[in-house]
Structures are given as structure tokens and as C-alpha cells.
Amino acid sequence: MLLTKFTHACVRLEKDGKVLVFDPGNFSETDQALAGADAVLVTHEHADHIDVEAVAAALLGGASLQLFAPAGVAAQLREKAPGAGTRIHAVAPGEVFETAGFSIRTFGGQHALIHPQIPVVANIGYFVDSNVYHPGDSFIVPDGVEVRTLLVPIHAPWNKVGEVVDFVIGVRAPIAFPIHDALLNDAGRGLVEGHVTRFGARYGTDYRHLSTGDTVEV
């Protein structure tokens, strides 16, 4: 399976000629990420994780594109792309399904707390092919599974470095790559990734930096 990182939280997986896309948000290169996609997984409703107009256009422009998202996001997209309603699926934590040849399990339920006065929204973490885990905006450690490839939200208004490190330690995946990094400059990135690399290694995780556009085999 090939994994390509786009800016921020958007990631593309390719396997056997099929394409799965996580979180094509408005910080990301949505046109490139969604080109030829067979399925889209959206973790939550925030614009940096879903560019609603771009995703609606992709749904209307592709007769087979499937989308999976929390109920609120699914409802919004059905309004934007009514002709694609049967291909827009609401998902919740604890579900198992297949799409485009990929096996998916869902975890989590809520976005991490930003501030007590900011409402908490639904957030779904997706575990693909017993391999890749995208937690969205949360540090939910998936129970009952062994993650082989972890996507790590390394910077956000809702996290701090210690929590990022503890998430990596808690999951203990052999390999980890960064997501949710668009708000970092090079100095901040070096600081955060240095801590994650050093502490992750103590617990068996090889953290590897990816830049936008990088593709790796997982």
C-alpha cells in the first residue's frame, strides 16, 4: 500500500488500483488528493479536515465515489450533493466496513477539547487494513488492535508536545508519520519532531518525517 502525505491532515492510500483519501481539508491540495479517488474518510466537520465544496464537487463528478463521515458531516454533504446521497454514509465509533477494497474499523467519538467554551464535535478515528490509523483530532488509542502505521497529529490548538509523545508511546506502532502540521514553522517542527523521534524510539516506534507530496510504502 502506498501512502502519500498532503498538507496538514490529508493522506492518500493506494492499493491494487484503488484510492482511499483521509480528510481533504481546506489547508490541503484537495484536487490532487481527490483525483481518481474511490472512497473518502472524513474524521470530523472542521474545515481543515473537509473542504465541503471540493468534496461535494468530487461526489457529483464521480459516479462511484463513496464517502464516510460522522452523521453531521454526512448530512451536510447530502444537502450539497443530493445526487450522491446513496454514496454518502454516516459512521460512528465501533463499526467495521469495507470500501474500495479497504477494510475499515472506527474508533473514538469526540474531538479533543480545545477550550471549555468551544463545543466538542464528533470525531472518528479510522483504522485501515489492520495497518494505518488516522485518529483525526484526537489522541484516542484504538483498543484491541495492533497498529502498524500511525499518523500522528503533531501540532494543534488542542494539543501539547507531551500529549503527542504520550499518544505515540501509547499506540506503540512500529512506524509513525506526521499529520496536522500546517500551523508549524520549521523551528517548531524540529522541536516537536525531535521529542517524538527520541521518546518514540525508546518504546519501539520509528518516527519518520514526511513533507507534503512524499510517498512511502506501508
Side-chain angles (χ1 to χ4, degrees), residues 139 152-156 159-165 168 178-181 184-200 207:
F139 286 138
V152 184
I154 63 170
H155 178 262
N159 75 28
K160 61 184 181 181
V161 174
E163 294 171 332
V164 178
V165 169
V168 173
I179 57 170
H180 216 281
D181 52 358
L184 279 173
N185 60 22
D186 288 343
R189 184 187 311 280
L191 186 151
V192 175
E193 291 193 325
H195 287 309
V196 175
T197 300
R198 184 168 63 257
F199 287 105
Y207 176 84

Side-chain angles (χ1 to χ4, degrees), residues 22-23 40-44 68-70 89 91 97 104-107 124-128 132-136:
F22 294 105
D23 281 3
V40 175
L41 305 180
V42 178
T43 62
H44 66 284
F68 300 82
H89 312 279
V91 292
F97 60 91
I104 315 294
R105 292 185 64 174
T106 60
F107 293 89
I124 303 295
Y126 296 99
F127 184 46
V128 179
V132 179
Y133 180 55
H134 190 310

Side-chain angles (χ1 to χ4, degrees), residues 20-102:
L20 177 69
V21 178
F22 294 105
D23 281 3
N26 63 3
F27 291 173
S28 307
E29 301 77 12
T30 54
D31 289 348
Q32 296 175 41
L34 291 169
D38 297 285
V40 175
L41 305 180
V42 178
T43 62
H44 66 284
E45 66 187 53
H46 291 159
D48 57 326
H49 292 258
I50 178 168
D51 182 332
V52 172
E53 297 298 331
V55 172
L59 285 164
L60 292 171
S64 61
L65 179 62
Q66 304 286 322
L67 181 133
F68 300 82
V73 178
Q76 183 181 15
L77 284 165
R78 289 192 191 105
E79 292 182 3
K80 287 283 187 180
T86 60
R87 294 182 279 112
I88 299 171
H89 312 279
V91 292
E95 295 186 7
V96 178
F97 60 91
E98 291 193 4
T99 183
F102 296 88

